[in-house]
Structures are given as structure tokens and as C-alpha cells.
Amino acid sequence: MNQQVPAVGRNDLAVLLFILLLAAVLRTAGLNAPLWYDEIRTVDTHVSLPWGEMMREYSMNHHYFFSLKAKLISQIFGDQVWAYRFPAVLFGVGVVGAIWWLAKDIAGARIAHVSALLVALSYHQVWFSQNARGYTELAFWSTLGLIFFLRGVQSPSFGTWVAFGLTAAAAVFTHLTGAFFFVALGLVWLISLITGFGRGALTRDWVWKPLTGVAIASALILLAYLPILPSIAGTVGDVAATSAVDTMQEYQNPRWTIVEGLRTAVGNTGALTLLVAVGGVVALGFGAAGTHAKQPLFFPAIVMHIAVTLVILLALGMRIWPRFFFVDIGLVIILAVIGCRYGADLVARVLGRPQMTGLLFATGVVAMVAVSLLLVQRNYAAPKQDLAGAFALVEETRTPSERIYAVNPGGPLFEGHFNADWATIGDTKGYADAMAQPGPVALVVLFPNRMFRTIPQLGQDAEGSLQLVQAFPGTLGDGRVLIYRRR
């Protein structure tokens, strides 16, 4: 089932270069905005450690391969916010190029240009490209892995499957959940092997060369994680245990994940949310149909990754964060663009005017680009979470007798990263004890939706005895930082 890889002309490369430059500009604008909670934890508990101590134990918060790069860049350029995030920028731009390459393989240069442009403009892609975490790196390696997987299935060569193994190892070393994507590809390969779907004649090369890539990936992953293997199982168990008693139980519901993904992608835009959702479902359906003939394993690979991720997270009782599906965003965009082209062709044929296909497709592209331009601006409306601004305001306005409390989980973070002499309130009893003492009090509340539910009295007092001094907005979900005072 060999498929000729579409040729790339000089004009196509020029278009790609322009898109990459646009992606770089969007991802570097505002790069020095304040770090948010998870970024600070990454810096304080891993990046700031000596090289020899960065892999002393496993942590779900640590993206190992990414953190090594963040440490290197911060040592070269100093402890700057942008330096910690710069690897995410590089891989964020790299994802745009990888999506272009994948889309070109599947549907040609025109689809590749549109797909890459939409990824460059994607709100989520820009947001995570300015995040000192390894999600864009994970998406980059996963997308390359899918390219090599699809090429290797069509024309199994040793070099292609070795490259697949290297990208799989890099993805899983970036974060352990990277294994979900490559397990999904393995299941797709196994189904294709058994049923014949999506492949040509079965040969020894078709079986043994992919297994060679898997062996290379497995060996490299084992070597990379060897120093911390004993702590991995315990950490996963601890995360599952904390999820079981989490006050925000909706985080473990796939329906919440879907709604949250739409909310963060579209925002509070009323009818536009429904329009984007419905239009997206239609486009993806057309996309699945449009890719079936040329690359029948592309759509099943996306579906399988989503299914594998959900099954594993549900089985472990873990929170189903939308970011676990970040690697699928670029792939879904390719599907949507192909679906738009397929739908335009279908409508034109139904109308009996096939010459309208180009115009209808261009109209759909303009609409998608316009929506993306509208939504991506929200990245620059506020920091992800303005902990630095909240700390500065409280310190500048505090009185000598005022007691300052960071409402969990902010306490250790403010103490360790900002050298604050604040106390921490972590539960209902702690809050009651703190407020029972006379005198002025300042409360700095992180993740207010969670904390108002954890400490109901705090929410009641926020409507009564406490004065809201300032609310610092954040683009992170539940990312506001609220400052209350009692005089």
C-alpha cells in the first residue's frame, strides 16, 4: 500500500516559513508574564536543583526531558521567566512544522498550509507554548511519531521505524503519559495486523521492523527512568488516592473535560460556543471520511489515543485534565481542514456546480482563521495566574500588625519562591482558628472555586465580613487570585 509522498515546491516552503515566523511571534509576545502555580513548582522543585539531583524521585509535576532543557537555558541566560519557558516556545513552533509535515503527507501542501496556520493561531497551542511545562514538547514528539508510524505502515523501512522508536522514547521521557499515545498507535497497528485494515500485503518486514522500533523505545525509556523506577508506582498510587478525596470530583468526569476544553477554547462567547461545537463535529465527521481513502489509519489513531487515555485515567481514578489530550489538538485541526475541503466538494456536487468547491473551501478557511484570530487574543489579556502581582500588592500595603495567610495551596509556594513570611490556611479548622484571633487579616486565595468549596465559611465571609481588595485575573482555569482583608 505504498503512497507517493506529495512533492514540496519552493513556494510551499516559503509559505511554511511565513507561518513558522508568525507562530514564533505569537509565542514570544508576553513571554515574560508572571509564572503560575505549576510553573513555579517546576522551577523550585526540579529546575533549580543541581544536575545530579533532578531525577532523584518521580513526580507527576515534573516533565523530565523538558526540565533539563529549561535548566540549561536558564543557566545560560539567567533565572528569567522567559528562559524557563523558552523550550516550550521552540517546541510550540516545532509542532506547527510537524503538523504541516503530517498534513502534507496525508492531503498535500494546500491542506498542510491551512492546518499549520490554524495551529499557529490556536489559543491552546499559544497558551501551552508560553508555559514552562513539557506539553508542546510532548505534542512535537508525538506528532513526529505519528508521521513515522503512518509512513512505516505504508512502506516499512528500518530507518523509519528506528525514528519512530526514538520519538516514542523522547515523548515518554518528557512525561510518562506520553506512553498513552504510543500505546494507542500500537493497538492500531495490532488491529491492522489482524484485520488487514489500512495495510497492504502482510510481509515479515511489516511485522519485525515495527517491533524493532518498539524495542528501541522500550530500552531507552527504561534507561531514562531507571534512577526513579521505585518511586513511579508509589507516586501514581498517591495521585489516585488524592483524586479519590478531591472536593472537585467533577475533574474525574469526561463530560467536565469536554465542557472545560470548549470553555477554554471558545470562552464565554454564548452562541459562538454552540456554533463552534456543532461545526467542529460536522467537520471532523467529514474529515474522517476525507482521510479514509488516502490514510485510513489517521482517524483511528486519534480516536484510539483518546480512548486509551480515558480508560487508563478512569482505571487509576485520576483527574481527567484537558491537557492530557493536548497532543490531539493539531491532529484534530488537520481533520477539520480536510473535512472542510471534503464538505465543500460534497456541497458543490450536490448543487451541481463543482467549480464552486474552491470558493466554498476558501470561505470555510477564512471563517476558521477569523475565529482563531478572535480567540487567540485572550492569551494576552492577562497572565496565566498573577501570583507575583498579588504578592507585591499585599507586601506593599500590609500594616505592621496585619497577619497574612495564603489559602492553600499557595502557602508553601509563597514561602519558598517569594520568601514570604505568610502563614498557610489549608482547611476549615485552620480557617476558623485564624479568623478567631482578633486584629487585621489579609487572605490571598488561589484557585477560589476550589477553596470556597473546601472552606465553605470562606465563601460566606467573602460575601459579608471580608473586603475584596483586588481580584487578579488569569487565563488559567480557576486562575484568579483574590485578596481579601478584614480590618
Side-chain angles (χ1 to χ4, degrees):
M1 188 175 171
N2 293 336
Q3 179 181 331
Q4 191 71 26
V5 176
V8 178
R10 184 175 299 177
N11 290 339
D12 294 326
L13 293 177
V15 173
L16 174 60
L17 178 60
F18 169 78
I19 294 171
L20 293 176
L21 289 174
L22 174 63
V25 170
L26 291 173
R27 284 150 179 75
T28 52
L31 190 61
N32 223 31
L35 297 171
W36 72 284
Y37 180 83
D38 274 5
E39 291 179 301
I40 291 176
R41 287 188 61 202
T42 295
V43 171
D44 289 358
T45 64
H46 293 96
V47 177
S48 62
L49 294 178
W51 286 100
E53 298 182 24
M54 290 183 69
M55 289 197 66
R56 61 186 179 186
E57 60 183 14
Y58 182 73
S59 168
M60 290 292 288
N61 190 67
H62 190 14
H63 297 192
Y64 290 93
F65 205 14
F66 175 88
S67 294
L68 292 173
K69 302 176 188 69
K71 182 174 182 63
L72 177 62
I73 293 176
S74 64
Q75 286 196 336
I76 295 173
F77 295 101
D79 295 328
Q80 305 290 328
V81 170
W82 70 264
Y84 297 130
R85 290 172 170 163
F86 195 65
V89 173
L90 294 179
F91 283 105
V93 175
V95 169
V96 176
I99 289 296
W100 183 90
W101 185 6
L102 176 60
K104 184 263 302 176
D105 274 8
I106 295 173
R110 180 176 298 181
I111 296 296
H113 296 334
V114 177
S115 300
L117 177 61
L118 291 174
V119 172
L121 296 173
S122 164
Y123 168 81
H124 283 108
Q125 292 284 343
V126 175
W127 198 98
F128 280 97
S129 294
Q130 298 185 324
N131 187 28
R133 315 277 279 130
Y135 293 105
T136 55
E137 180 172 4
L138 185 59
F140 175 76
W141 296 124
S142 298
T143 305
L144 285 188
L146 181 56
I147 292 171
F148 296 130
F149 173 81
L150 295 176
R151 286 190 170 193
V153 167
Q154 292 176 346
S155 181
S157 70
F158 186 72
T160 299
W161 283 108
V162 167
F164 173 84
L166 294 176
T167 56
V172 178
F173 188 43
T174 301
H175 197 266
L176 203 57
T177 55
F180 298 172
F181 188 82
F182 290 89
V183 167
L185 294 184
L187 292 174
V188 171
W189 175 83
L190 188 60
I191 292 171
S192 181
L193 174 67
I194 295 172
T195 66
F197 176 76
R199 66 167 173 82
L202 182 61
T203 63
R204 292 184 62 181
D205 284 349
W206 203 94
V207 177
W208 291 110
K209 288 181 179 178
L211 292 179
T212 300
V214 172
I216 291 172
S218 301
L220 291 175
I221 292 166
L222 181 61
L223 287 173
Y225 279 111
L226 192 60
I228 53 174
L229 278 178
S231 69
I232 290 178
T235 300
V236 172
D238 290 342
V239 171
T242 58
S243 298
V245 297
D246 193 349
T247 58
M248 310 295 282
Q249 285 295 304
E250 61 266 34
Y251 291 172
Q252 299 171 52
N253 189 324
R255 288 194 299 271
W256 173 85
T257 306
I258 295 171
V259 172
E260 181 67 8
L262 280 173
R263 186 196 66 78
T264 55
V266 183
N268 299 319
T269 51
L272 181 59
T273 303
L274 181 61
L275 181 63
V276 170
V278 173
V281 169
V282 173
L284 295 181
F286 283 150
T291 57
H292 178 75
K294 291 186 177 180
Q295 190 44 266
L297 297 183
F298 177 61
F299 179 69
I302 300 172
V303 174
M304 186 64 76
H305 174 243
I306 294 172
V308 166
T309 302
L310 284 174
V311 168
I312 293 176
L313 294 178
L314 289 170
L316 294 175
M318 295 175 63
R319 302 171 185 90
I320 307 174
W321 302 117
R323 60 178 176 259
F324 287 134
F325 306 95
F326 176 72
V327 300
D328 299 303
I329 292 177
L331 312 182
V332 168
I333 286 175
I334 293 176
L335 267 183
V337 174
I338 293 175
C340 183
R341 176 66 175 77
Y342 184 88
D345 183 60
L346 181 63
V347 171
R349 284 190 283 113
V350 168
L351 295 176
R353 302 183 65 181
Q355 69 275 13
M356 288 184 61
T357 298
L359 176 61
L360 292 173
F361 177 58
T363 302
V365 169
V366 169
M368 290 188 289
V369 170
V371 171
S372 299
L373 285 170
L374 174 67
L375 298 177
V376 75
Q377 299 175 51
R378 292 182 296 122
N379 274 291
Y380 314 106
K384 290 174 169 57
Q385 188 182 43
D386 197 356
L387 303 179
F391 172 76
L393 178 65
V394 170
E395 287 296 316
E396 290 170 3
T397 59
R398 69 185 299 181
T399 62
S401 61
E402 186 174 55
R403 289 175 288 119
I404 304 174
Y405 295 94
V407 180
N408 190 57
L413 183 146
F414 280 111
E415 180 181 353
H417 189 77
F418 294 98
N419 296 316
D421 58 347
W422 303 356
T424 302
I425 293 175
D427 53 28
T428 300
K429 184 180 183 302
Y431 179 76
D433 291 344
M435 301 306 287
Q437 301 177 46
V441 172
L443 301 173
V444 182
V445 182
L446 278 65
F447 306 105
N449 291 344
R450 170 183 289 275
M451 296 318 302
F452 288 159
R453 189 179 300 185
T454 302
I455 308 174
Q457 188 61 46
L458 172 62
Q460 296 175 26
D461 290 347
E463 300 294 330
S465 60
L466 295 176
Q467 174 192 359
L468 178 61
V469 177
Q470 188 160 334
F472 289 86
T475 58
L476 175 73
D478 198 17
R480 294 178 302 153
V481 182
L482 307 180
I483 298 176
Y484 292 98
R485 275 198 163 101
R486 185 192 70 183
R487 297 297 186 185

